[in-house]
């Protein structure tokens, strides 16, 4: 089946690039149907164009309120027959219209081991708190900020000499590895959500 991804970005787009690369070498069995940015200057747009992917810039300023904006995103995604939405550094909250249109079909990547350090500047929060281990989380998006069922996580050490930048770079390597894995896991199907938990088919089988 021809699966179609929609990727939402706001900036650099390194996670978008990791998805583009994974699609190219077959680790993700899908195509990226559209890349949507809320910012015209997002560097990730150039990455998409270079890969021959259609881009759409939707500036929130053009809409009356958040809901109108979310509906415009949902319409753009459905006009491109998108099955799975990947937030990749998309710096906006996703509202009810988009959540309803793509229930359990929106993934996000966050640079901490959730539920620790949700929200902005997760790497700075981790350094300031003094944790010795941080990492990256891919989760389903719900109405709770950075709070949906966790699909994949990877841990990295926090080193004594770390700055926000060095820690972010170490986490980013893991982000680029686990995001494509999580996308393929969702595309493979057979998973379910039980309360807060994302349950993979293999686990369900083990319980039989
Ligand atoms: C990543 O650290 C991601 O976890 C967070 O925003 C950053 C986006 O980076 N949500 P990029 O645009 O994918 O390079």
């Amino acid at each position: 089946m021809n699966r179609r991804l929609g990727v939402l970005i706001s900036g650099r787009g390194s996670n978008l690039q990791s998805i583009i690369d994974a699609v190219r070498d077959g680790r993700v069995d899908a195509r990226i149907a559209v890349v949507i940015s809320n910012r015209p200057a997002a560097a990730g747009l150039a990455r998409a164009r270079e890969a021959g992917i259609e881009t759409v810039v939707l500036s929130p300023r053009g809409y009356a309120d958040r809901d109108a904006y979310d509906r415009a995103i949902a319409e753009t995604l459905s006009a491109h027959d998108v099955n799975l939405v990947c937030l990749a550094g998309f710096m906006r909250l996703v509202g009810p219209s988009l959540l309803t249109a793509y229930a359990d079909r929106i993934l996000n990547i966050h640079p901490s081991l959730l539920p620790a350090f949700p929200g902005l500047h997760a790497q700075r929060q981790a350094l300031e708190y003094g944790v010795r281990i941080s990492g990256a989380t891919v989760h389903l998006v719900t109405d709770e900020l950075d709070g949906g069922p966790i699909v994949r996580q990877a841990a990295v050490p926090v080193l004594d000499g770390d700055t926000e930048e060095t820690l972010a770079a170490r986490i980013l390597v893991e982000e680029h590895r686990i995001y494509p894995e999580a996308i393929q896991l969702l595309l493979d199907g057979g998973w379910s959500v039980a309360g807060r938990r994302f349950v993979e088919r293999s686990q369900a089988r083990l319980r039989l």
Side-chain angles (χ1 to χ4, degrees):
M1 197 153 102
N2 188 13
R3 309 304 184 85
R4 296 168 67 85
L5 309 179
V7 184
L8 272 55
I9 64 167
S10 297
R12 176 177 59 178
S14 73
N15 277 289
L16 164 64
Q17 188 67 54
S18 78
I19 301 167
I20 291 172
D21 294 346
V23 166
R24 245 185 216 147
D25 56 31
R27 281 175 291 126
V28 166
D29 184 18
R31 60 181 297 185
I32 303 175
V34 64
V35 169
I36 302 175
S37 173
N38 62 323
R39 294 192 185 136
L45 288 169
R47 298 179 189 265
R49 289 189 197 112
E50 201 153 299
I53 299 164
E54 188 178 339
T55 60
V56 176
V57 174
L58 291 176
S59 171
R61 275 188 228 141
Y63 298 87
D65 53 27
R66 196 177 97 175
D67 191 54
Y69 183 69
D70 277 3
R71 275 188 276 121
I73 291 185
E75 280 160 20
T76 304
L77 291 167
S78 93
H80 287 82
D81 295 321
V82 164
N83 315 106
L84 178 64
V85 182
C86 306
L87 309 187
F90 185 62
M91 302 302 285
R92 286 184 60 87
L93 292 174
V94 172
S97 296
L98 188 48
L99 283 174
T100 309
Y102 283 91
D104 282 343
R105 295 290 183 276
I106 308 177
L107 279 174
N108 183 41
I109 180 118
H110 184 78
S112 75
L113 291 177
L114 291 170
F117 316 127
L120 292 175
H121 309 299
Q123 302 93 335
R124 189 188 306 167
Q125 292 185 58
L127 276 180
E128 284 173 356
Y129 194 94
V131 291
R132 309 305 307 209
I133 295 173
S134 192
T137 301
V138 180
H139 63 93
L140 290 171
V141 175
T142 63
D143 58 3
E144 191 189 337
L145 175 69
D146 296 328
I150 291 170
V151 180
R152 273 284 186 269
Q153 288 187 305
V156 305
V158 180
L159 304 179
D160 285 341
D162 265 339
T163 61
E164 209 178 323
E165 289 72 32
T166 58
L167 178 58
R170 193 175 307 120
I171 292 173
L172 203 57
V173 172
E174 297 302 313
E175 292 186 35
H176 295 165
R177 185 176 63 81
I178 65 172
Y179 209 179
E181 281 181 13
I183 291 167
Q184 187 55 45
L185 190 59
L186 253 74
L187 294 174
D188 282 343
W191 50 271
S192 60
V193 173
R196 287 209 42 82
R197 296 184 57 218
F198 177 87
V199 182
E200 290 179 38
R201 173 171 40 192
S202 56
Q203 291 173 340
R205 273 195 192 138
L206 282 176
R207 277 209 303 271
L208 288 177

